[in-house]
């Protein structure tokens, strides 16, 4: 995964997070319960945070070995899709079983951060 790909993935996710946050604050406020709106906001926050993490990984990609950066980015992208995606769907549909997918996304986030930590200590710079 090249630096420009990471920047593109980060940009897409940050765009979606900003749009989803605005949609939640303005379009869903009258439709969703306070609980469901809180779930929506959690999805936005995690997508935003990990979109920014993808930008950081893009910055590191030119200085660190590519494999751990790529693995970390993949884990974070999977995490965004599963964690935030399942929460968006849960908030919008109210189908509680979707919440069972959320922890898998959380584990993907943790794996991404763990791989980055491992890379920081075990992989010399290029």
């Amino acid at each position: 995964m090249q630096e420009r790909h990471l920047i593109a993935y980060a940009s897409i996710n940050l765009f979606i997070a900003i749009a989803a946050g605005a949609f939640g604050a303005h379009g869903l406020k009258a439709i969703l319960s306070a609980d469901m709106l809180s779930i929506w906001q959690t999805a936005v926050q995690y997508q935003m945070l990990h979109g920014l993490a993808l930008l950081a990984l893009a910055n590191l990609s030119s200085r660190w070995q590519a494999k751990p950066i790529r693995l970390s980015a993949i884990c974070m992208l999977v995490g965004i899709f599963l964690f935030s995606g399942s929460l968006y769907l849960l908030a919008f549909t109210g189908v509680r079983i979707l919440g069972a997918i959320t922890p898998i996304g959380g584990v993907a986030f943790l794996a991404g951060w763990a791989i980055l930590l491992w890379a920081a200590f075990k992989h010399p710079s290029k």
Side-chain angles (χ1 to χ4, degrees):
M1 193 173 311
Q2 295 178 347
E3 182 179 8
R4 66 187 176 98
H5 294 130
L6 288 172
I7 293 169
Y9 293 137
S11 299
I12 290 165
N13 277 287
L14 292 168
F15 180 93
I16 292 169
I18 296 286
F23 181 59
H26 302 290
L28 296 177
K29 195 171 189 176
I31 298 170
L32 296 181
S33 69
D35 287 344
M36 290 297 130
L37 201 53
S38 177
I39 289 170
W40 185 273
Q41 188 59 34
T42 298
V44 169
Q45 289 173 340
Y46 276 77
Q47 185 170 9
M48 179 72 69
L49 174 67
H50 288 88
L52 292 171
L54 290 171
L55 280 180
L57 289 173
N59 184 13
L60 292 172
S61 68
S62 63
R63 296 180 293 161
W64 288 14
Q65 291 183 359
K67 188 174 182 179
I69 297 299
R70 182 174 51 250
L71 288 173
S72 181
I74 289 168
C75 287
M76 290 189 190
L77 286 166
V78 167
I80 290 169
F81 182 77
L82 295 176
F83 186 92
S84 293
S86 66
L87 290 181
Y88 287 135
L89 288 172
L90 169 61
F92 201 66
T93 66
V95 177
R96 293 271 178 197
I97 193 70
L98 292 167
I101 299 168
T102 308
I104 300 168
V107 169
F109 285 147
L110 292 170
W113 289 109
I115 291 166
L116 184 60
L117 175 64
W118 177 72
F121 286 110
K122 297 295 181 182
H123 286 277
S125 298
K126 286 183 180 180

